[in-house]
Amino acid sequence: MPSHEKQDFPVGDIRRFLEPGPVVLVTSRHRGRTNIMTMGWHMVLEFSPSLVGCLISSSNHSHDMIAGSRECVINVPAVRLAEKVVGIGNCSGADIDKFEAFDLTPVEADEVAAPLIEECHVNLECKLVEQRRSYDLFIFEVVKAHVVARPKYPKTIHYRGDGMFMVSGRSLNLRRKFRPDML
Ligand SMILES: Cc1cc2nc3c(=O)[nH]c(=O)nc-3n(C[C@H](O)[C@H](O)[C@H](O)COP(=O)(O)O)c2cc1C
């Protein structure tokens, strides 16, 4: 039996317990240049229109590229890309071409100018709906989704802070416990 005895915990570190993941790669194109950044802080906000909220710090080069172009692509990498994901999140597109530096393949999107990353199993083309400057919060509408047919649940990485990641694991089918309209 796990113990239920608890201790005080620093509130600034609670992301370890709430981090939703998966960590994604956000691509952008602005004024003829492309870029990639790593992002863990995002959440789904609505089914239809399909809305996603993203925290993109104003200290990142991507922030101005995305605010300027009002578009991006959210790419979901599997665990085999984990080291590149960390590398991309520890350098700036202001200094280097990250597609070249990390040997990733840009692919033309259908609805936005930002490129898809070929090596990622999901690519979500997004248009900016709203920007809340007080929190560097961007709300995007996903206007087109590209998803590989197999595997259905690739192993994704979820950031716990302090350089530690969780890798998605086994699936649990509890469909029978759901009201049909909640599925
Ligand atoms: C695992 C991980 C998760 C990150 N999550 C975010 C995030 O949610 N929001 C953010 O603004 N930066 C996040 N970062 C930091 C950016 O990816 C990093 O500052 C990057 O260098 C920005 O690149 P750019 O300057 O080319 O845009 C994360 C970095 C890592 C390694």
Side-chain angles (χ1 to χ4, degrees):
M1 269 292 275
S3 164
H4 292 283
E5 196 183 320
K6 288 154 203 156
Q7 283 146 14
D8 286 351
F9 192 85
V11 291
D13 294 337
I14 56 90
R15 69 180 185 172
R16 185 189 304 176
F17 309 107
L18 292 180
E19 205 72 64
V23 172
V24 298
L25 295 172
V26 181
T27 45
S28 51
R29 186 193 300 271
H30 190 47
R31 298 199 169 128
R33 290 194 61 188
T34 59
N35 195 22
I36 318 174
M37 71 166 268
T38 302
M39 183 178 73
W41 290 5
H42 55 78
M43 72 178 294
V44 173
L45 297 172
E46 182 56 278
F47 289 108
S48 181
S50 175
L51 300 181
V52 179
C54 298
L55 201 296
I56 301 176
S57 165
S58 58
S59 62
N60 292 334
H61 189 57
S62 301
H63 177 281
D64 292 353
M65 293 183 67
I66 293 167
S69 63
R70 301 184 62 81
E71 294 176 346
C72 74
V73 177
I74 298 174
N75 305 271
V76 186
V79 64
R80 68 189 166 76
L81 294 174
E83 291 201 9
K84 293 191 186 203
V85 167
V86 173
I88 288 165
N90 281 275
C91 63
S92 174
D95 310 320
I96 56 162
D97 176 340
K98 296 199 202 177
F99 274 99
E100 205 177 289
F102 293 96
D103 194 24
L104 292 168
T105 316
V107 175
E108 282 292 309
D110 293 330
E111 307 286 340
V112 301
L116 319 177
I117 300 177
E118 166 128 311
E119 290 81 359
C120 290
H121 59 274
V122 171
N123 313 105
L124 307 175
E125 300 186 26
C126 297
K127 294 204 186 240
L128 183 60
V129 173
E130 198 176 325
Q131 191 181 351
R132 291 285 172 97
R133 288 174 208 283
S134 41
Y135 293 102
D136 287 340
L137 175 67
F138 290 68
I139 298 173
F140 295 108
E141 178 175 354
V142 179
V143 293
K144 173 107 190 180
H146 309 258
V147 180
V148 296
R150 278 196 183 75
K152 193 170 178 187
Y153 302 109
K155 289 206 180 302
T156 48
I157 54 169
H158 304 248
Y159 192 43
R160 291 178 144 167
D162 201 27
M164 297 299 291
F165 291 82
M166 180 182 74
V167 180
S168 66
R170 69 188 179 100
S171 294
L172 189 59
N173 182 348
L174 291 178
R175 218 164 271 139
R176 67 188 186 285
K177 296 275 185 190
F178 277 71
R179 276 187 356 226
D181 58 312
M182 291 298 288
L183 282 169

